[in-house]
């Protein structure tokens, strides 16, 4: 009888410890990814699948070695951004596309994978989760703009994001 009580106590302690570990992992992911945590859970149909996707993103990001931009390249990108901004009033559709292209160009120069839009968004989520929704919004507006489906207000919103 004493062995049975001891075994049950060990099982209960192990279950409680496992629960605490799972809760801490979830809390850690929620802190790290902020609003993207809830988005992943909703998008992937539950906590387990959403957290698995966020951990996959973390691992994928760790496998990528990023480069710092050369100071001259950095200045060139800043100048390109300023030039794009100046043309928004006259050519809003073109400048939204140019701004999106510039973001991709900078990401590529840093070493991010950019050819697959979903993976590109995933890398934004991994490194800048609080900016990911802005990135998604801007990119979606650019895509609609390419099809001629945006208003000037939407273009302003896309450019701002």
């Amino acid at each position: 009888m004493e062995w049975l009580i001891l075994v049950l106590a060990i099982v209960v302690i192990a279950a409680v410890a496992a629960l605490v570990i799972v809760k801490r992992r979830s809390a850690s992911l929620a802190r790290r990814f902020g609003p993207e945590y809830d988005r992943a859970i909703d998008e992937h149909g539950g906590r387990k699948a959403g957290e698995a996707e966020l951990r996959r993103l973390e691992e994928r990001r760790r496998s990528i070695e990023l480069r710092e931009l050369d100071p001259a390249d950095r200045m060139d990108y800043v100048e390109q951004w300023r030039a794009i901004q100046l043309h928004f009033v006259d050519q809003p559709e073109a400048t939204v596309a140019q701004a999106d292209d510039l973001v991709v160009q900078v990401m590529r120069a840093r070493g991010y994978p950019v050819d697959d839009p979903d993976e590109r968004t995933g890398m934004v989520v991994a490194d800048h989760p609080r900016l990911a929704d802005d990135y998604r919004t801007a990119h979606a507006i650019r895509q609609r703009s390419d099809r001629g489906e945006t208003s000037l207000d939407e273009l302003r919103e896309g450019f701002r994001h």
Side-chain angles (χ1 to χ4, degrees):
M1 183 69 159
E2 290 177 10
W3 286 102
L4 180 60
I5 293 173
L6 181 61
V7 168
L8 285 175
I10 291 171
V11 168
V12 168
I13 290 171
V16 168
L19 185 61
V20 168
I21 289 169
V22 167
K23 291 281 187 192
R24 283 187 181 166
R25 284 184 187 160
S26 293
S28 175
L29 284 170
R31 275 191 309 276
R32 165 134 167 43
F33 286 100
E36 289 298 314
Y37 178 83
D38 293 329
R39 181 185 183 94
I41 288 172
D42 291 343
E43 208 170 87
H44 294 280
R47 184 189 57 76
K48 187 174 180 179
E51 287 183 359
E53 176 60 18
L54 292 174
R55 284 192 298 275
R56 186 196 66 75
L57 274 177
E58 282 181 318
E59 291 203 19
R60 173 71 175 119
R61 172 55 189 88
R62 276 194 295 268
S63 73
I64 298 167
E65 189 171 326
L66 296 182
R67 303 178 285 281
E68 289 297 319
L69 292 176
D70 178 85
D73 291 338
R74 182 182 305 235
M75 286 308 300
D76 184 47
Y77 291 131
V78 168
E79 290 305 316
Q80 287 180 54
W81 174 245
R82 288 183 183 142
I84 291 169
Q85 286 178 307
L86 291 174
H87 291 77
F88 181 81
V89 172
D90 297 324
Q91 301 171 325
E93 294 91 356
T95 55
V96 166
Q98 290 167 354
D100 190 51
D101 291 344
L102 183 60
V103 169
V104 172
Q105 188 179 355
V106 171
M107 289 180 76
R108 180 176 282 118
R110 296 272 334 268
Y112 285 102
V114 295
D115 294 331
D116 177 358
D118 290 335
E119 185 169 28
R120 185 169 60 234
T121 301
M123 293 301 99
V124 173
V125 168
D127 279 348
H128 307 284
R130 283 156 184 79
L131 298 177
D133 197 47
D134 286 341
Y135 177 77
R136 278 189 200 93
T137 299
H139 187 67
I141 290 170
R142 187 262 166 96
Q143 289 176 316
R144 287 197 319 272
S145 174
D146 287 349
R147 296 186 305 265
E149 300 171 352
T150 51
S151 68
L152 184 57
D153 285 340
E154 289 172 308
L155 292 168
R156 276 192 203 105
E157 180 188 4
F159 197 75
R160 193 180 75 246
H161 285 292

